[in-house]
Amino acid sequence: MTRRARGLGRARARGLRRAALVGALLAAGGVAPARLAGQGGGIGYEAFSLPNGLRVLYAIDHTTPIVTVDVWYYVGARNEQPGRGGFAHLFEHLMFEGSAHVKKSAHFQWIERAGGTLNGSTHDDYTNYYETVPSNRLNLALWLEADRMRSLAVTAANLENQRATVKEEKRLRVDNQPYAPTFRDGVTWPFDSASCFAYAHPGIGTMGDLDAAQLADVQAFFATYYAPNNATLAVVGDFRPAELRRLVNQYFADIPRHPAPPPVRCDFRFAPGTLRREVTDPHATLPALLRLYRLPPHADADTPALTLLTTILGEGESSRLNVGVVRRAAAAEEAGVFRLEDRRGPGVLVAYAIANQGVPAARLDSLIGAELDSVRRNGVTTDELGRARNQFRAGFVHGRETTLGRAEALQHYGLFHASVAEVNSDLERYLAVSTADLARVARQYLDPANAVIVLVQPRPAAPAPTGAP
């Protein structure tokens, strides 16, 4: 995490960003089809690649004199090894510690003096870095990204400094926040660390792993994953294509290709049997309940139905959990559903609630279970589906209103879909979801045998002192 305060990132799903408690926890192109462009959200884009493997996606927008440069490296928690967790997040910090021609923290200074904004974030399957600048400073943003891709200063001093920073962030934003450690660890419990370490460990790492990190390990991690052939550069905004190609070739073409990173293995199965766990949270004052269900990778054909089902179950005032558990039963002060979705490997759906005073966690489990079972047995209504479609369409279009949003959309489809071209056709899949589709995925994935159920108990109150005068 850089200067911007954030939670576990977009890969931690829209629901995580919505819930403050989890915040302590994504050759030639084509033009947008006329039908999608009429609905909004279409992106006309082009693409090219350098001989060193760097892929470039770009979209022109002359309406405002700004441009976004967005680099995705295909490295995240999934690429880490046992005993070496947290490296991807550590590098999110190290990438701002200077390079051959950029002093420590000067990356921020250069961009901010140019009138731009910047940030980076770590996810399960990728790490991204972006700058949005006035269009006449496109060269600056590209040069800064190329310099650190080529020559990041991975030194002992920088490692020690950022190791301490990450540990403090972990203490403040996760370890000492109510419920946050359970959300952080809970989303890893559906998977076995021996067969699917990629998604069975927290991306922020552990104190032990951070303490054990050696300079040679960190340098090897950079050499393996921070390479042009393991990255995609997206540029969206006000520029001329010929100028973009000239600058990209000037700054990036001489960065050497690295050996391909090792493949990632994740073996898992659905519905292996219900697993129940109970944890005590020393910072919580009320019980809580999490139900976690294994989901297929993002590229699976069931993703559109699962997305709309998530909305119906737990997003917004009219969602099943809010109506049934918060309003009608008055059992929780908050309840919702979110998914870990931007993954090439298996995802997770999380239904959760934080109890009202005097309500035990077991009561929340019963209520949430009843709501999910009702959808499994009876499906959803056409009105619910219509609201979910409208909500998705609005978010889909709204997310592409900025140059950064369009750059991130191009990156998302470049990594998680069969073709970047699906950036302009994917909305149709979501709008085509039927109530029968929702009933089918609910029966398949909300099976109790596919669940990890976690009861969170607050720390017992200290006994009152005796013998007081």
Side-chain angles (χ1 to χ4, degrees):
M1 184 177 67
T2 58
R3 291 186 180 182
R4 179 185 65 182
R6 61 177 178 80
L8 294 186
R10 190 168 68 92
R12 296 304 191 212
R14 288 184 291 273
L16 277 171
R17 293 196 297 270
R18 177 169 52 85
L21 65 97
V22 189
L25 267 191
L26 112 59
V31 296
R35 182 152 56 93
L36 180 57
Q39 295 174 337
I43 303 175
Y45 71 93
E46 297 290 341
F48 65 92
S49 296
L50 299 185
N52 61 10
L54 179 69
R55 181 169 64 160
V56 182
L57 304 169
Y58 67 90
I60 299 170
D61 178 3
H62 294 306
T63 59
T64 307
I66 61 172
V67 62
T68 291
V69 170
D70 187 23
V71 180
W72 278 26
Y73 290 94
Y74 298 152
V75 56
R78 77 180 243 127
N79 301 101
E80 296 166 352
Q81 302 299 316
R84 295 294 183 268
F87 274 32
H89 178 247
L90 177 63
F91 263 96
E92 184 196 322
H93 291 256
L94 287 171
M95 286 286 277
F96 293 93
E97 290 300 289
S99 49
H101 303 96
V102 180
K103 294 181 180 179
K104 179 184 177 72
S105 299
H107 197 117
F108 282 105
Q109 297 167 13
W110 279 101
I111 294 298
E112 291 170 351
R113 287 172 184 170
T117 59
L118 71 162
N119 216 326
S121 58
T122 311
H123 307 263
D124 292 321
D125 282 37
Y126 68 94
T127 306
N128 74 315
Y129 304 91
Y130 75 86
E131 299 85 13
T132 298
V133 294
S135 53
N136 64 349
R137 300 316 309 272
L138 171 61
N139 61 327
L140 173 64
L142 291 172
W143 176 76
L144 287 168
E145 289 295 354
D147 201 61
R148 63 181 175 184
M149 181 185 290
R150 177 189 297 106
S151 60
L152 185 69
V154 188
T155 66
N158 286 343
L159 171 59
E160 291 307 316
N161 176 272
Q162 293 309 304
R163 188 204 317 262
T165 299
V166 171
K167 290 169 69 174
E168 183 64 13
E169 176 187 337
K170 182 175 181 295
R171 282 189 287 265
L172 290 177
R173 298 188 59 80
V174 180
D175 295 348
N176 294 326
Q177 294 296 321
Y179 311 109
T182 303
F183 277 88
R184 174 202 61 199
D185 295 336
V187 295
T188 72
W189 290 337
F191 309 106
D192 182 81
S193 61
S195 59
C196 184
F197 182 78
Y199 301 106
H201 73 286
I204 200 169
T206 66
M207 292 299 189
D209 284 357
L210 291 170
D211 286 336
Q214 300 297 309
L215 180 61
D217 299 326
V218 177
Q219 290 172 333
F221 194 84
F222 179 77
T224 300
Y225 297 106
Y226 282 80
N229 51 302
N230 196 48
T232 295
L233 168 67
V235 182
V236 176
D238 181 26
F239 59 88
R240 291 180 292 111
E243 179 69 1
L244 173 66
R245 286 177 179 263
R246 184 185 70 81
L247 292 171
V248 169
N249 275 281
Q250 178 181 347
Y251 297 142
F252 290 91
D254 65 343
I255 302 176
R257 174 190 290 267
H258 295 190
V264 173
R265 171 176 167 263
C266 176
D267 297 323
F268 78 102
R269 63 190 181 96
F270 295 112
T274 305
L275 173 65
R276 289 184 173 272
R277 302 183 68 153
E278 185 168 324
V279 300
T280 299
D281 187 331
H283 301 287
T285 58
L286 297 168
L289 185 283
L290 283 71
R291 278 180 167 241
L292 307 106
Y293 297 86
R294 300 163 187 84
L295 298 181
H298 182 84
D300 192 89
D302 285 340
T303 290
L306 286 166
T307 299
L308 300 187
L309 180 64
T310 299
T311 297
I312 292 168
L313 288 174
E315 294 182 353
E317 291 296 316
S318 63
S319 68
R320 290 287 186 102
L321 263 61
N322 189 67
V323 171
V325 180
V326 176
R327 289 163 51 185
R328 185 179 300 130
E333 63 176 31
E334 179 180 350
V337 176
F338 65 87
R339 289 179 306 125
L340 307 190
E341 55 180 328
D342 285 355
R343 287 176 161 186
R344 286 169 285 178
V348 180
L349 181 145
V350 183
Y352 73 94
I354 300 174
N356 276 329
Q357 192 71 40
V359 177
R363 171 67 172 156
L364 296 180
D365 183 28
S366 176
L367 289 168
I368 290 179
E371 293 293 339
L372 302 185
D373 287 344
S374 175
V375 173
R376 292 184 72 233
R377 289 192 307 267
N378 306 315
V380 303
T381 67
T382 55
D383 285 345
E384 287 177 315
L385 174 57
R387 287 195 298 269
R389 282 176 178 165
N390 290 338
Q391 186 171 330
F392 180 83
R393 183 194 289 112
F396 185 93
V397 174
H398 178 69
R400 300 177 179 208
E401 291 178 348
T402 65
T403 55
L404 175 59
R406 293 193 291 280
E408 287 280 287
L410 291 172
Q411 292 279 25
H412 169 88
Y413 284 90
L415 178 59
F416 297 108
H417 290 252
S419 169
V420 182
E422 292 183 25
V423 72
N424 288 322
S425 62
D426 205 27
L427 178 59
E428 298 173 7
R429 293 200 304 147
Y430 289 80
L431 299 184
V433 169
S434 68
T435 54
D437 294 327
L438 295 175
R440 176 182 55 80
V441 298
R443 287 192 300 270
Q444 180 173 352
Y445 299 109
L446 300 183
D447 182 346
N450 193 39
V452 177
I453 299 173
V454 184
L455 279 69
V456 184
Q457 306 292 359
R459 180 177 59 185
T466 59

